[in-house]
Amino acid sequence: MKTIKLEIDGQQVETAGGTTILEAARKAGSDIPTVCYDKRLPPYGACRLCMVEIDKGGEKRLVASCAYEAEDGLVVRTETPRIVKIRKMILELLLAVSATGPLEALAKRYGLKESRFQGDQPKCLLCGLCVRYCAEIKKNNVTCFIGRGIGKEVVFQSDLSHSLCPVCRECIPLCPSGTLYSLYLKGYSGSPEPGSNKGL
């Protein structure tokens, strides 16, 4: 396999062809934050927290490091003032719907005490981890997205969740907002709540 040579935060890095910038940077010791990334799943690029600045032949631009493959000669900067500003804005938007777990830790890392924005908490971040894990790893397709735009949400297909979810539940620890765990604590028992068509 071809070896790729690039520069990440001033450090010369060698990595295998097909490696993403995120993977190469983490291997080199750079701590790029993510919410929607899971090494078991194909790149998704939903949260945009992993944005980095690349310089390719003098042309600079921002890319999602989880989805952009490392290239020979690429210069990558993972934590410039511009990137930090973008990450803070994304975090403020995410904190408005969930201020727990990994988001709380990231807020502390970037010096955020609270969000300027307000939302119902905890709410799904739409990172897609539970949906993708269920479909691509478990091959069950119990969870899925419905709706579009601000009406988009994750739902459980109640006919499948009756039999599959009680013996699996592997999606619950993946949820960065804690939404799935909150629903579980409210009494998910494998049966849909009365009047609900969401299975949880």
Side-chain angles (χ1 to χ4, degrees):
M1 182 176 288
K2 184 183 178 185
T3 298
I4 303 294
K5 297 179 181 179
L6 68 161
E7 179 185 310
I8 300 177
D9 293 333
Q11 182 181 350
Q12 296 301 314
V13 175
E14 290 188 10
T15 191
T19 303
T20 65
I21 290 175
L22 177 67
E23 293 165 336
R26 286 187 169 175
K27 187 177 172 185
S30 295
D31 184 15
I32 300 174
T34 63
V35 171
C36 68
Y37 174 78
D38 186 306
K39 64 182 178 185
R40 296 168 293 181
L41 296 166
Y44 193 56
C47 73
R48 314 310 276 183
L49 278 171
C50 70
M51 296 288 278
V52 296
E53 184 179 279
I54 63 168
D55 186 332
K56 186 176 179 180
E59 182 183 333
K60 294 179 182 178
R61 64 187 173 118
L62 299 175
V63 298
S65 64
C66 72
Y68 197 97
E69 287 189 8
E71 297 174 6
D72 269 326
L74 206 61
V75 177
V76 180
R77 294 175 186 87
T78 66
E79 193 96 357
T80 65
R82 182 182 181 197
I83 292 167
V84 169
K85 185 177 180 182
I86 291 169
R87 286 185 187 150
K88 282 184 171 181
M89 175 57 73
I90 293 170
L91 278 171
E92 277 202 79
L93 292 167
L94 295 175
L95 287 169
V97 293
S98 178
T100 60
L103 293 177
E104 186 178 28
L106 285 173
K108 189 175 291 185
R109 171 177 166 179
Y110 286 98
L112 292 171
K113 293 183 178 176
E114 59 185 9
S115 173
R116 281 170 281 180
F117 311 107
Q118 293 184 344
D120 297 329
Q121 292 200 24
K123 189 175 178 184
C124 176
L125 304 177
L126 302 176
C127 69
L129 278 174
C130 59
V131 173
R132 294 185 294 135
Y133 186 85
C134 190
E136 296 170 27
I137 303 291
K138 300 301 293 184
K139 311 291 184 192
N140 287 333
N141 294 301
V142 174
T143 57
C144 63
F145 287 116
I146 62 166
R148 305 180 82 178
I150 61 171
K152 188 175 182 179
E153 61 181 319
V154 172
V155 296
F156 288 72
Q157 298 186 59
S158 58
D159 53 335
L160 294 174
S161 65
H162 290 188
S163 58
L164 298 176
C165 292
V167 295
C168 178
R169 297 177 183 162
E170 292 177 22
C171 62
I172 291 175
L174 298 177
C175 179
S177 70
T179 307
L180 290 178
Y181 188 62
S182 296
L183 292 171
Y184 175 73
L185 290 178
K186 286 179 182 174
Y188 174 61
S189 63
S191 300
E193 294 176 354
S196 169
N197 64 354
K198 296 181 181 179
L200 283 177

